[in-house]
Amino acid sequence: MAMEIFESGLSWEVRANSRHYHKHKQKKSFLCFHWGRYADNVVHSYKYSPLTFLPLTLFEQFQRVANLYFLLMLVMQCIPAISSVPWYITIIPLVTVLSVRGLKDLVNDMARRRSDFEVNSRPCDILVSQSFDSAQWKDLCVGDVLRIHKDQVIPADLLLLCSSEPHSLCYVETADIDGETNLKYRQALSATHTQLTSQPSDETLAAFDGLLLCEEPNNSLYTFRGELHWQGECHPLDHAHVLLRGTVLRNTAFAYGVAIYTGADTKILRNSGKQRVKTTQVEKVFNRVVIGIVLSVLLVALLHAILSGVFSSQVMGNADISSTVVVNANPVYTGFLTFWSYIILLSPAMPIALYISFELIHTVHSQFIGWDMEMYWQPAGRPAQARNTSLNEELGQVGYLLSDKTGTLTQNRLVLRQCCIAGEIYGDASVRAEDVEPMDLSWNPFSCGGLHMSAPSLVEKLRGQQCPPSRQFLTALSLCHTVVTEWKEEALFYQSASPDEETLVGAARELGWVFLSRARDFISVSELGVTRQYQLLALLDFTSKRRRMSVLVREPEGGLKLYCKGADIVILERLHKDLQYQERTERALELFSQACLRTLCVAVRSVPEASWEQWRKTLAQSAAMATCDRDALLEKLYDQMERELQLLGVTAIEDRLQEGVPETIALLQQAGLKVWVLTGDKKETAVNIGYSCKLLDPDTRLLEWQELRQILQAPDPGVSFFKARQMELWAVDKKMAGAKTAVVLTGPELAEFDQRPEWGSTFMSLAEHCQSVLCCRVTPGQKADIVKLVRKHTSSVTMAIGDGANDVNMIKTAHVGVGMAGVEGGQAVQNADFALSQFRFLQRLLLIHGRWSYRRISLFLRYFLFKTCGFALVHIWFGFFNGFSALSMYETWFIALYTVLYSSFPVMCLGFFEKDVSAESSLSWPELYKSGQRQELSSPLILALSLLYAVYSSLVLFFIPFGVFYDTALDYQTMAFTVAMAATFTATIEIMLLTRNWTKINIAAVCVSVVLFFIGTGITHSTVLFKKAPADYIFIGVLAKAFVDPVVWLTALLTAWTAVLPSFTAHAVNITLTVHDKQKVHSISPQPVELKSTFRRGTSLRRSPNALF
Amino acid sequence: MVKQEKEFVNRPDNTAFTQQRLPAWQPMLSAGIIIPGFVLIGLAFIGIGVALFVTSQSIQVLEVDYTGVEQSSPCFKCSDPDVKNCVCKMEFNIDSLFKGPVFFYYGLSNYFQNYRGYGVSKDPNQLSGDLDSFKVPSDSCAPYEYVGKTPIVPCGSVANSMFNDSFKLYQIVSGAKIQVTLDGKGIAWWTDYNVKYRNPSVTPLKNAFNGTVKPTFWSKPAYELDPTDPANNGFINQDFLVWMRRAALPNFRKLYRRITEGDYAKGLPAGNYSLEIAYNYPVLSFDGRKKVVLSNVSWMGGKNEFLGIAYLVIGSMCVVMSIVMLIVYAKFKFPEEE
């Protein structure tokens, strides 16, 4: 037995109805020791308890290097020999930062605790000795048998034993797990169904003593492997037998199940893994700058330490009155102490308050995104959402937009527009869907509108019973699908995982073929009012590899029919040889694809009873086989059945473009973004969508694989590329030709890149010259690979946008991932950094919010660097004139309050409210966006210049007062106050120069800062405080004395003005010389982006019949 | 109405703040504003500069270096540290009336009163008259904390190194010496004299210092600093207060006396003067210099040429830059308009 378990990997053992067996092995933990095997069903997502909050939050926060650095400073400041400034100077900003952050974490944790409590105390019915008792979720244990009511949330991963419905079917809604709102059905094993429902169920359930062997808990939502050993038999189990925690039971009165995985072992909790932390480009550059600052501080401290040693050795020996200069009469030791003193003294150059302010600004920017009324999608009541609050400025730098097609560019709200039955085309795609004249369908009691196809002739044929193929066509539509019905308020609703199927079944209903219900083995269809029951013999399901699905049914009359629908290529190659309407159908396919419609072929086959019997036996045999070979075998078997089909017709579904997509793409392209489309669809469909959404212009030349391959293989790809373009007759202007080329690739072709990694960079440099790149037929993995390719070979920021589960991979890989909250499930949104409801909201997200955020954050960082370094580096220069003794140039209180009070508010306001141009102008001048892509405000060069500027201003801040105070009777404290005042003025004037958008709050912040400086200084210089602690408030009376001294004022004024002179001059030169883009924006009235919808399709496209899904 | 509200679930608030439409002023600067602005600021600075410079020029300053480095100097004999109680005389001559009130400073160079270890070396509690600190001075006073086991009061480097030269000024009128009255009152800061430094409330003051010794460098104990005025002793002695207020930079002056009383209150008339120096303070060991400075003051305090010149330089730079900008602007702008 043990050997067997080891081989099959089914090592998770569950015994039904044996509580104490599992309780014994329950997971427990004490401190960091864990033992036991089965998790309890208690969710424990909160981190802190009253006892552990303080140690835990401190531990977390000191993992940040900046905080640790300041803690180190604090410790060093407590050593009297080296403390150049008292310990309380660092503790004020540090405690502020720690408590703000700790408070934020605490609030979040309280919310988690509340929601945990709510979840853990939800009610459920557990079978305890013969009867069901009401209990709470947290009491549940592995092996317990549960009863689930209708509309109840399932508390743990359960094996479905039986249900109140026939055949123990039950329906679940998985919205919480994958966001899909359609119902899915689960079915119990027939063994448990028959045994457990035959008698009154409580007792039989209590007697159920099955042994379950399953795989270890994992996070895969769509697979499950296990075996049920019961009554001497072994039944294999798969995911269709399992009800997952978090799903909701629907349309089913009761369901009974035994808990397999509980609590932390359940699939949904295993899935709530941590998201990869993304850091922005700006932050990366800035972190490097901060490391640079720390290194320079160390270097300067070392230099001063050496000089200090030299100085003291010179003074030593004649130390009759100034013997304190040399500590322990040892210059080396003096130098050693001075080194640490200088590290402490220069530590404010490393901005401690920066990271917390940075986070605060990010949070507010994210709120702004959520608050934007114009990104609110009213029909769904859904505002935009910034799920990741630390990527805002990256939105202003996006260079590559990689977009999914279905559901992102298009609405994914499918409408049947045309169909072709027996070579006859019905409906007219040239009329807009809204303008189609509704047909008179009053004869059909089930009709509820929503058919955007006008084909009275078809209805006539159907009702007149003239045309068997059209009747069969509709029968196929109403039978061949996996749709589930639901009755709500006397009306029939269809639910399906695939929007295509829902549309087709809905269209069939309008035309009189009403799919009524699905049971385990039967499908009921009302055909023009006559209800017929088809026995469902087999369902050959859809996979992306097969690209078709079929049902095998027995008609009420007894005949066996196989109905099949799928992608055109797949169906056409499986058709019966002598086909009547082949040519006409193919022409119809071409017409449909030119009108950007998704096409599906529908076919039928009459199956002889004998071949069915044989096929069934083989199927039963292979189904019982081991898992790995089974899939391949089944596919082969299905393939045998889906042959010699008879083509019934073609459906043409319109997936309409979302509102504003062409405008948005045009605008983004003007803003310098490269828009690429990655889709699983066919090449022709993708290209057509490309034209209709203005991604490609009518005269754009398509570069396909053959040609691209030649170019890539050429010794000099660049030259060949240009040659290839010049050969085109229309390419008169070379430059134009470059912009008007688009590359079209397909998945298999992309796979070749894996073998030739050197093509990657060549391809990217070519793609740079192209208007766009379309990748069709790509798998989710390939989508991510393309993103990786772009990330690897360009320095641009990539953004991926998609709506489906197949886009999750690329959304996670890109710098910024955007999820469309659309028709498909919520998985894309769950994994995205931003969630939007409409593609056109990208305009605002990128061009307004992104651009503003980028500008605000770059300015914020630059200013922060300037103000802290300019302020702290003064000590370096002062060192040369105080014997390198690490004497502070400022009053210690000023050092503490400068960052927190005197200079923080205006820069926060800048971070919140700054805008150089209005939202409207940002949209009408998309070119402004390019400055973010070029990193104009945040390049390492710019940051280095800011640092240089800070060094300059620190020189000014020291040497002008130095000149004034040299050889005068003015004392050190007056000079300290003068420099402090100059530093505050400098910081204030600089922020006034940077601020372009003066709201009342900005003005107030600037005034408050300056006033606070004088009030704060007045307080620390006051008599009252001095009397309380004479050692800490030694600057008593300085403000009063200096305030009335004109020299102090004039010096501070001159110093501040000289310190900001470069910045001021740069502004002035900028204004004088360049007639700047932004000024154009203000001087010229905004023009709406011109839109034309001229379509012209490439002649190379023969037809574009189009695959489903 | 209820239905309408329901239609807008989750709808964001439409306020100026949330929609980022707070009313704001966006200054639209153009060359037409910025260049004249620049000129105006430059002119204002030049104006201030001229005022400062002119004021500074009107201030008379007379400096007498009495370190005695050169052998020719009358104080050379005193510069040897082994010579005690040395008095030397410096003669100098004033050409025209030195307008009063004249301030009398002493100046030291290459003297790092701003050395951190030096500045820390004092006990603020002791200096504010706390008797407990008389017995146990703060550690920060090291190495001038104790002599043997007796505490030093006032302890620490700063107090210990107090400047102890003293000066007398005479005008020589036809061979006779007339002493110029020097006023030593009110030369320290008001807060220092009244709040920051306090003598212990013990009378007589001498008793408070029982069980303590004077700083090693001092010749007299703190309570006998000024024998002429009992109120000017202890920690509130004016000279002590001036010394304790540390200088910012290694070259500095400190106010010694003012000439505000008597015949010379209106100024020092032209003539020959003699400065009698009780030379005690050693500075040559660290290559320092000592000098006496006589100066009168204006609204801006003592003579300060640097500030005026700096204003003039920065102001002129602004003006020059705006002219350059104007030229460049004209060059760039006008071709465009053609």
Side-chain angles (χ1 to χ4, degrees):
Chain A
M1 184 75 185
M3 200 59 201
E4 199 179 294
I5 288 169
F6 180 74
E7 271 170 16
S8 60
L10 303 177
S11 51
W12 184 264
E13 195 181 329
V14 176
R15 295 178 188 194
N17 281 321
S18 58
R19 207 160 211 213
H20 52 268
Y21 169 78
H22 298 286
K23 263 272 188 283
H24 184 64
K25 288 192 176 179
Q26 211 159 55
K27 241 177 220 167
K28 289 183 186 74
S29 67
F30 179 73
L31 294 177
C32 48
F33 301 101
H34 304 277
W35 66 92
R37 186 158 163 75
Y38 303 103
D40 53 13
N41 202 32
V42 180
V43 183
H44 201 84
S45 64
Y46 61 89
K47 288 190 283 189
Y48 308 127
S49 71
L51 209 68
T52 59
F53 170 67
L54 210 60
L56 271 181
T57 186
L58 288 179
F59 175 71
E60 273 166 23
Q61 296 202 45
F62 283 119
Q63 284 176 334
R64 291 176 160 242
V65 182
N67 289 343
L68 200 66
Y69 177 82
F70 279 92
L71 185 71
L72 212 74
M73 290 297 127
L74 190 64
V75 171
M76 276 162 51
Q77 282 167 6
C78 295
I79 305 169
I82 59 169
S83 82
S84 41
V85 286
W87 58 272
Y88 50 78
I89 296 317
T90 304
I91 207 164
I92 293 174
L94 187 65
V95 164
T96 316
V97 167
L98 292 184
S99 48
V100 167
R101 185 140 191 136
L103 213 66
K104 191 182 146 201
D105 288 349
L106 187 66
V107 169
N108 287 344
D109 201 59
M110 297 292 263
R112 273 198 296 270
R113 192 178 263 271
R114 263 196 306 276
S115 81
D116 280 357
F117 177 77
E118 192 266 319
V119 167
N120 289 332
S121 56
R122 280 187 197 160
C124 66
D125 290 341
I126 302 176
L127 182 71
V128 183
S129 54
Q130 311 289 324
S131 68
F132 281 98
D133 282 358
S134 186
Q136 293 188 332
W137 278 28
K138 60 180 178 221
D139 305 325
L140 186 63
C141 179
V142 172
D144 284 356
V145 173
L146 286 123
R147 180 172 63 191
I148 313 289
H149 302 266
K150 189 177 181 181
D151 298 335
Q152 204 179 17
V153 184
I154 290 162
D157 291 356
L158 308 178
L159 171 73
L160 181 62
L161 293 175
C162 56
S163 81
S164 58
E165 303 302 301
H167 311 290
S168 283
L169 265 177
C170 75
Y171 296 91
V172 286
E173 191 186 284
T174 56
D176 277 0
I177 289 189
D178 55 13
E180 294 176 16
T181 49
N182 58 295
L183 297 186
K184 300 185 176 76
Y185 60 87
R186 298 281 180 265
Q187 196 168 22
L189 285 169
S190 53
T192 55
H193 166 68
T194 45
Q195 301 271 345
L196 296 175
T197 49
S198 52
Q199 285 151 19
S201 53
D202 284 13
E203 284 118 61
T204 44
L205 283 168
F208 176 70
D209 58 350
L211 171 69
L212 283 150
L213 292 176
C214 339
E215 57 188 355
E216 288 289 307
N218 58 41
N219 64 359
S220 164
L221 289 171
Y222 305 107
T223 63
F224 174 76
R225 278 192 320 126
E227 287 170 356
L228 172 66
H229 296 266
W230 186 40
Q231 296 177 340
E233 280 180 66
C234 168
H235 311 271
L237 302 171
D238 63 29
H239 79 278
H241 302 117
V242 177
L243 304 174
L244 297 183
R245 178 183 170 127
T247 56
V248 183
L249 192 72
R250 299 276 189 217
N251 287 7
T252 313
F254 289 109
Y256 300 93
V258 56
I260 313 171
Y261 306 124
T262 51
D265 296 329
T266 56
K267 301 225 178 217
I268 185 172
L269 288 179
R270 287 262 162 173
N271 249 302
S272 55
K274 274 179 190 165
Q275 271 214 316
R276 198 165 58 90
V277 180
K278 293 180 177 178
T279 38
T280 64
Q281 308 284 304
V282 174
E283 216 180 327
K284 277 183 202 153
V285 173
F286 193 77
N287 281 340
R288 258 179 273 153
V289 171
V290 168
I291 291 170
I293 293 174
V294 171
L295 289 180
S296 337
V297 162
L298 291 179
L299 203 71
V300 167
L302 189 68
L303 181 79
H304 274 52
I306 294 167
L307 290 172
S308 154
V310 172
F311 177 83
S312 51
S313 71
Q314 277 175 356
V315 177
M316 196 169 63
N318 37 38
D320 38 355
I321 54 168
S322 34
S323 65
T324 37
V325 168
V326 192
V327 183
N328 293 357
N330 183 348
V332 177
Y333 185 58
T334 311
F336 174 74
L337 292 183
T338 310
F339 175 70
W340 299 109
S341 298
Y342 264 106
I343 286 181
I344 296 173
L345 198 60
L346 293 173
S347 67
M350 159 131 180
I352 182 175
L354 178 102
Y355 288 92
I356 190 85
S357 321
F358 198 55
E359 219 165 276
L360 202 65
I361 289 179
H362 268 142
T363 313
V364 171
H365 285 187
S366 304
Q367 289 295 327
F368 278 141
I369 290 174
W371 281 333
D372 194 334
M373 292 256 296
E374 291 178 49
M375 296 210 293
Y376 169 73
W377 179 235
Q378 202 171 304
R382 215 184 283 128
Q385 192 190 2
R387 297 174 52 83
N388 185 339
T389 58
S390 61
L391 293 177
N392 303 68
E393 74 266 24
E394 203 111 301
L395 291 175
Q397 294 179 283
V398 176
Y400 282 85
L401 175 68
L402 300 119
S403 172
D404 175 41
K405 184 185 78 70
T406 313
T408 307
L409 298 177
T410 61
Q411 290 179 342
N412 211 12
R413 209 155 269 140
L414 306 178
V415 182
L416 181 72
R417 294 302 312 279
Q418 286 187 302
C419 61
C420 167
I421 306 168
E424 205 71 32
I425 295 178
Y426 301 97
D428 184 3
S430 61
V431 189
R432 276 160 44 102
E434 296 90 44
D435 303 339
V436 170
E437 222 174 285
M439 286 191 288
D440 177 28
L441 297 170
S442 52
W443 48 270
N444 182 0
F446 289 102
S447 165
C448 51
L451 185 68
H452 296 278
M453 182 175 81
S454 181
S457 57
L458 179 63
V459 176
E460 225 166 85
K461 275 184 194 168
L462 289 171
R463 297 189 70 190
Q465 314 226 337
Q466 296 160 350
C467 178
S470 44
R471 294 173 68 88
Q472 277 213 310
F473 180 78
L474 283 168
T475 313
L477 290 190
S478 57
L479 286 177
C480 179
H481 53 75
T482 55
V483 171
V484 176
T485 53
E486 193 180 5
W487 285 93
K488 266 187 209 161
E489 294 160 7
E490 302 290 305
L492 191 58
F493 283 91
Y494 293 137
Q495 299 231 353
S496 167
S498 151
D500 296 67
E501 285 194 335
E502 209 178 310
T503 311
L504 291 176
V505 177
R509 175 183 65 187
E510 295 303 309
L511 294 171
W513 264 254
V514 186
F515 165 60
L516 289 175
S517 67
R518 171 193 299 278
R520 187 180 151 90
D521 298 329
F522 286 97
I523 296 175
S524 309
V525 178
S526 153
E527 293 176 5
L528 292 172
V530 186
T531 305
R532 285 156 63 91
Q533 283 227 330
Y534 291 85
Q535 191 189 356
L536 180 63
L537 298 176
L539 198 148
L540 288 56
D541 53 0
F542 172 85
T543 66
S544 51
K545 204 169 159 198
R546 282 163 37 80
R547 285 157 63 199
R548 61 183 185 271
M549 76 163 287
S550 313
V551 285
L552 187 65
V553 293
R554 188 182 293 281
E555 291 181 311
E557 292 81 24
L560 285 174
K561 282 271 164 65
L562 177 88
Y563 290 103
C564 179
K565 73 171 181 203
D568 47 0
I569 316 175
V570 191
I571 301 291
L572 289 180
E573 71 187 19
R574 285 182 167 68
L575 290 186
H576 203 260
K577 287 287 169 292
D578 49 329
L579 196 69
Q580 255 178 308
Y581 320 106
Q582 176 130 27
E583 207 172 308
R584 279 157 75 187
T585 311
E586 281 192 24
R587 214 176 49 240
L589 278 169
E590 191 176 333
L591 274 172
F592 292 162
S593 73
Q594 283 183 7
C596 294
L597 302 175
R598 290 154 78 114
T599 53
L600 273 178
C601 288
V602 180
V604 70
R605 178 191 172 193
S606 299
V607 184
E609 198 74 36
S611 74
W612 152 244
E613 277 299 326
Q614 201 192 349
W615 190 79
R616 191 179 62 158
K617 274 180 199 149
T618 337
L619 185 71
Q621 276 169 11
S622 38
M625 280 183 59
T627 39
C628 40
D629 310 333
R630 197 170 69 182
D631 292 345
L633 216 77
L634 279 180
E635 195 177 315
K636 215 169 130 195
L637 209 63
Y638 287 172
D639 196 43
Q640 280 173 14
M641 185 50 95
E642 292 159 328
R643 267 188 197 168
E644 299 188 349
L645 301 171
Q646 234 179 335
L647 187 67
L648 287 173
V650 180
T651 60
I653 296 172
E654 185 181 47
D655 186 5
R656 293 160 66 210
L657 281 184
Q658 281 187 17
E659 209 181 311
V661 166
E663 291 88 337
T664 307
I665 288 184
L667 200 66
L668 294 182
Q669 285 186 333
Q670 279 180 52
L673 274 95
K674 295 269 177 203
V675 183
W676 292 18
V677 173
L678 317 179
T679 174
D681 266 326
K682 281 208 68 170
K683 191 199 268 180
E684 288 79 1
T685 322
V687 169
N688 283 345
I689 290 285
Y691 282 118
S692 62
C693 65
K694 296 263 277 182
L695 186 64
L696 309 175
D697 289 330
D699 52 352
T700 300
R701 187 171 166 269
L702 297 180
L703 192 63
E704 293 193 42
W705 179 242
Q706 293 305 329
E707 216 173 333
L708 182 69
R709 197 191 158 108
Q710 280 171 10
I711 293 170
L712 288 175
Q713 280 174 335
D716 191 349
V719 172
S720 335
F721 178 58
F722 282 97
K723 258 190 205 155
R725 281 199 320 227
Q726 280 167 1
M727 288 199 309
E728 295 294 317
L729 285 171
W730 45 261
V732 185
D733 186 350
K734 278 185 203 171
K735 229 181 165 185
M736 284 300 288
K740 293 268 173 129
T741 309
V743 177
V744 181
L745 288 175
T746 62
E749 293 158 7
L750 272 168
E752 279 192 47
F753 276 92
D754 294 341
Q755 282 122 44
R756 309 289 292 268
E758 73 275 9
W759 283 2
S761 60
T762 324
F763 172 69
M764 279 313 297
S765 61
L766 293 185
E768 205 120 313
H769 297 292
C770 291
Q771 194 176 13
S772 176
V773 173
L774 295 174
C775 301
C776 331
R777 283 273 171 260
V778 286
T779 61
Q782 277 179 325
K783 285 187 179 180
D785 288 343
I786 295 166
V787 178
K788 275 183 208 144
L789 186 78
V790 177
R791 281 188 73 148
K792 190 174 163 197
H793 297 291
T794 66
S795 56
S796 302
V797 173
T798 54
M799 173 187 256
I801 178 166
D803 73 320
N806 59 347
D807 304 314
V808 169
N809 228 327
M810 88 172 165
I811 284 174
K812 278 180 157 172
T813 314
H815 288 104
V816 188
V818 180
M820 298 288 291
V823 180
E824 278 189 56
Q827 279 203 56
V829 170
Q830 295 295 326
N831 289 289
D833 304 308
F834 296 91
L836 295 180
S837 302
Q838 290 282 295
F839 186 79
R840 66 168 192 276
F841 292 163
L842 268 185
Q843 288 180 21
R844 287 187 74 81
L845 188 70
L846 293 173
L847 298 188
I848 298 175
H849 290 282
R851 205 176 142 272
W852 280 349
S853 278
Y854 172 68
R855 191 182 161 75
R856 289 166 184 171
I857 281 164
S858 313
L859 288 179
F860 164 80
L861 289 180
R862 266 164 59 188
Y863 175 75
F864 224 96
L865 212 60
F866 168 76
K867 94 171 180 175
T868 51
C869 287
F871 150 85
L873 298 187
V874 168
H875 292 121
I876 299 176
W877 323 123
F878 190 37
F880 286 95
F881 300 93
N882 63 23
F884 310 100
S885 62
L887 178 68
S888 165
M889 187 69 257
Y890 306 105
E891 184 196 359
T892 48
W893 286 108
F894 175 75
I895 297 178
L897 297 176
Y898 175 77
T899 36
V900 181
L901 283 183
Y902 306 154
S903 64
S904 62
F905 301 128
V907 70
M908 292 306 279
C909 286
L910 179 88
F912 295 153
F913 304 120
E914 177 60 10
K915 44 182 156 180
D916 49 348
V917 298
S918 67
E920 292 74 26
S921 307
S922 301
L923 289 180
S924 28
W925 294 91
E927 293 81 8
L928 293 177
Y929 189 78
K930 287 179 181 166
S931 75
Q933 293 164 340
R934 291 194 291 257
Q935 295 212 329
E936 268 177 20
L937 297 170
S938 62
S939 63
L941 181 74
I942 289 282
L943 286 177
L945 277 178
S946 304
L947 269 183
L948 208 66
Y949 178 35
V951 171
Y952 160 82
S953 76
S954 72
L955 279 166
V956 169
L957 279 176
F958 177 70
F959 280 100
I960 287 186
F962 172 81
V964 175
F965 280 72
Y966 193 75
D967 202 14
T968 62
L970 294 164
D971 67 308
Y972 159 71
Q973 293 190 338
T974 310
M975 180 162 173
F977 175 74
T978 312
V979 177
M981 185 151 85
T984 313
F985 286 174
T986 306
T988 312
I989 299 175
E990 177 67 19
I991 196 80
M992 287 165 76
L993 289 177
L994 286 177
T995 307
R996 292 281 184 77
N997 190 55
W998 286 91
T999 65
K1000 280 175 197 159
I1001 303 172
N1002 287 81
I1003 296 169
V1006 166
C1007 299
V1008 162
S1009 295
V1010 176
V1011 169
L1012 268 181
F1013 167 69
F1014 287 109
I1015 293 177
T1017 314
I1019 291 172
T1020 55
H1021 293 188
S1022 70
T1023 312
V1024 184
L1025 283 178
F1026 174 80
K1027 284 193 171 154
K1028 291 241 163 65
D1032 293 336
Y1033 299 95
I1034 49 169
F1035 271 61
I1036 170 181
V1038 176
L1039 180 73
K1041 183 93 176 164
F1043 204 72
V1044 294
D1045 190 341
V1047 174
V1048 169
W1049 279 96
L1050 288 170
T1051 310
L1053 206 67
L1054 178 73
T1055 310
W1057 173 249
T1058 314
V1060 297
L1061 200 57
S1063 171
F1064 198 88
T1065 315
H1067 275 260
V1069 168
N1070 210 4
I1071 289 166
T1072 319
L1073 292 190
T1074 54
V1075 182
H1076 212 266
D1077 292 347
K1078 289 161 201 163
Q1079 278 182 317
K1080 258 197 231 158
V1081 173
H1082 288 282
S1083 53
I1084 303 171
S1085 62
Q1087 292 174 328
V1089 180
E1090 204 179 309
L1091 283 168
K1092 283 182 246 160
S1093 49
T1094 43
F1095 294 19
R1096 211 189 85 195
R1097 283 165 234 301
T1099 45
S1100 65
L1101 304 172
R1102 201 175 54 82
R1103 66 184 163 97
S1104 132
N1106 168 341
L1108 165 70
F1109 323 110
Chain B
M1 191 64 205
V2 177
K3 200 181 173 189
Q4 200 179 357
E5 268 171 29
K6 211 177 173 185
E7 273 175 24
F8 299 121
V9 254
N10 300 329
R11 184 185 162 132
D13 295 339
N14 187 9
T15 64
F17 175 69
T18 56
Q19 302 309 309
Q20 304 198 61
R21 291 186 182 283
L22 283 177
W25 173 60
Q26 291 197 326
M28 272 289 87
L29 297 173
S30 65
I33 300 170
I34 209 89
I35 295 177
F38 229 103
V39 173
L40 278 180
I41 293 173
L43 289 179
F45 269 59
I46 290 173
I48 298 173
V50 167
L52 284 172
F53 190 72
V54 169
T55 316
S56 190
Q57 287 301 312
S58 71
I59 294 172
Q60 293 161 290
V61 175
L62 189 132
E63 295 189 7
V64 181
D65 187 315
Y66 69 95
T67 325
V69 188
E70 294 95 25
Q71 294 199 348
S72 58
S73 165
C75 289
F76 177 69
K77 57 174 168 126
C78 300
S79 62
D80 184 348
D82 297 333
V83 181
K84 300 283 177 216
N85 297 326
C86 178
V87 175
C88 59
K89 283 180 192 157
M90 298 289 290
E91 312 263 315
F92 61 92
N93 170 29
I94 293 175
D95 298 336
S96 57
L97 174 73
F98 207 103
K99 266 186 239 137
V102 177
F103 283 55
F104 190 116
Y105 302 92
Y106 61 90
L108 293 171
S109 354
N110 202 22
Y111 191 104
F112 287 80
Q113 219 192 0
N114 59 5
Y115 196 86
R116 188 172 65 85
Y118 172 87
V120 169
S121 182
K122 61 180 178 187
D123 184 350
N125 291 318
Q126 195 184 62
L127 294 171
S128 56
D130 179 10
L131 277 175
D132 294 336
S133 305
F134 274 51
K135 294 186 187 78
V136 188
S138 154
D139 293 339
S140 60
C141 285
Y144 300 103
E145 215 174 346
Y146 297 98
V147 175
K149 287 200 168 171
T150 331
I152 301 174
V153 175
C155 71
S157 251
V158 194
N160 184 58
S161 60
M162 183 176 158
F163 187 74
N164 57 0
D165 287 0
S166 58
F167 309 96
K168 281 175 184 157
L169 184 62
Y170 300 96
Q171 189 187 12
I172 301 167
V173 183
S174 51
K177 292 208 286 187
I178 307 165
Q179 189 168 6
V180 180
T181 328
L182 300 176
D183 173 19
K185 284 208 180 69
I187 55 173
W189 284 28
W190 186 90
T191 42
D192 287 356
Y193 184 72
N194 291 294
V195 186
K196 199 170 176 182
Y197 294 87
R198 307 297 321 140
N199 281 326
S201 45
V202 176
T203 42
L205 186 58
K206 189 173 187 284
N207 293 354
F209 289 82
N210 286 339
T212 67
V213 291
K214 65 179 171 62
T216 49
F217 184 68
W218 289 21
S219 53
K220 293 177 277 187
Y223 49 87
E224 284 171 1
L225 282 173
D226 187 356
T228 58
D229 180 3
N232 191 22
N233 273 310
F235 303 146
I236 55 166
N237 173 275
Q238 296 277 340
D239 290 325
F240 179 69
L241 292 177
V242 168
W243 180 254
M244 293 302 283
R245 183 151 285 279
R246 289 196 289 148
L249 297 163
N251 286 17
F252 59 90
R253 298 170 189 180
K254 282 179 186 287
L255 188 56
Y256 181 69
R257 292 293 181 266
R258 288 183 293 193
I259 307 171
T260 49
E261 289 172 354
D263 303 336
Y264 295 92
K266 291 255 166 66
L268 299 174
N272 288 324
Y273 289 83
S274 167
L275 182 68
E276 201 179 290
I277 303 144
Y279 195 114
N280 298 315
Y281 205 72
V283 291
L284 280 175
S285 61
F286 53 89
D287 200 23
R289 294 287 178 277
K290 302 196 281 189
K291 63 184 174 187
V292 160
V293 182
L294 293 175
S295 165
N296 45 25
V297 296
S298 66
W299 58 270
M300 59 172 284
K303 192 177 182 79
N304 202 331
E305 284 180 334
F306 177 85
L307 195 57
I309 292 170
Y311 262 97
L312 285 173
V313 168
I314 299 295
S316 325
M317 263 171 70
C318 290
V319 173
V320 169
M321 264 193 292
S322 54
I323 291 169
V324 171
M325 257 186 258
L326 191 66
I327 294 168
V328 177
Y329 176 67
K331 271 202 169 176
F332 267 70
K333 173 115 187 185
F334 292 116
E336 221 173 285
E337 284 189 354
E338 283 163 16

